[in-house]
Amino acid sequence: MISFENYINEGIVKTVKKDKQRAHSLVIEAERKISSLNENIEKVGVKENNANDYIEHCYDIIMFLIRAKLFLEGYQCSGQGAHEAEVSFMTKLGFSEKDINFTDKLRYLRNSMLYYGKQLDKEYAEKVIAFTKKNHPKLKAFIK
């Protein structure tokens, strides 16, 4: 994993005015998505045919909260490597290397789903859901 400072030096991460409103909007959207995720899991369950949907929801929840914290700190990521930079920011938040690597793999697989039509399975979706439920409160606590 490339350090967050390297992304700053490369210009992928830019220093911007702190944006509480944008951060707040991202938190609201993350909360809406986790509520929807929980409701769908309760009503429908996790199946092979909805695994990608749940994985994408989980990715969005995690990334929205990371972006919210970035905006509160006065950073914005853009361009080639922006998502990697956002994952790298997790080191600044004190996440373990294992959790950062899991998030980076999730980023990679989510892009594979989106751009190459990769179908992920129920078992992986369950792991991503558990990871999201475990880390959602931790990420949210950084934003208060």
Side-chain angles (χ1 to χ4, degrees):
M1 171 83 21
I2 297 172
S3 75
F4 187 70
E5 289 74 19
N6 282 358
Y7 288 107
I8 293 171
N9 294 336
E10 291 178 18
I12 295 167
V13 177
K14 294 170 183 58
T15 303
V16 296
K17 182 180 175 191
K18 293 179 182 181
D19 193 338
K20 290 182 183 179
Q21 182 61 38
R22 195 148 177 209
H24 180 70
S25 295
L26 287 166
V27 171
I28 288 171
E29 187 62 12
E31 293 309 296
R32 185 191 69 73
K33 282 193 176 263
I34 200 157
S35 177
S36 174
L37 175 73
N38 288 330
E39 184 178 330
N40 286 332
I41 291 169
E42 184 179 313
K43 289 181 180 178
V44 179
V46 182
K47 301 176 182 181
E48 294 295 331
N49 69 347
N50 61 19
N52 278 21
D53 297 331
Y54 290 162
I55 292 165
E56 188 171 359
H57 266 49
C58 289
Y59 176 81
D60 288 346
I61 292 161
I62 292 165
M63 296 312 291
F64 287 173
L65 293 173
I66 291 171
R67 287 180 193 132
K69 180 62 175 167
L70 282 161
F71 280 119
L72 289 175
E73 296 292 322
Y75 294 113
Q76 182 176 3
C77 305
S78 63
Q80 180 94 14
H83 293 185
E84 292 94 328
E86 292 166 340
V87 172
S88 177
F89 185 66
M90 293 175 74
T91 59
K92 298 283 188 196
L93 301 177
F95 279 86
S96 71
E97 187 175 334
K98 180 181 175 187
D99 284 348
I100 294 166
N101 288 337
F102 187 92
T103 305
D104 195 48
K105 181 179 179 183
L106 173 59
R107 176 199 58 77
Y108 176 82
L109 290 173
R110 181 263 187 185
N111 286 346
S112 296
M113 289 171 11
L114 193 60
Y115 299 114
Y116 305 109
K118 182 162 182 71
Q119 180 64 43
L120 300 171
D121 61 23
K122 174 185 173 185
E123 182 181 336
Y124 184 68
E126 289 170 339
K127 287 178 187 176
V128 171
I129 291 164
F131 178 84
T132 302
K133 287 183 177 186
K134 178 185 109 184
N135 287 292
H136 168 263
K138 185 175 180 180
L139 284 165
K140 211 171 152 201
F142 288 115
I143 296 165
K144 295 192 183 228

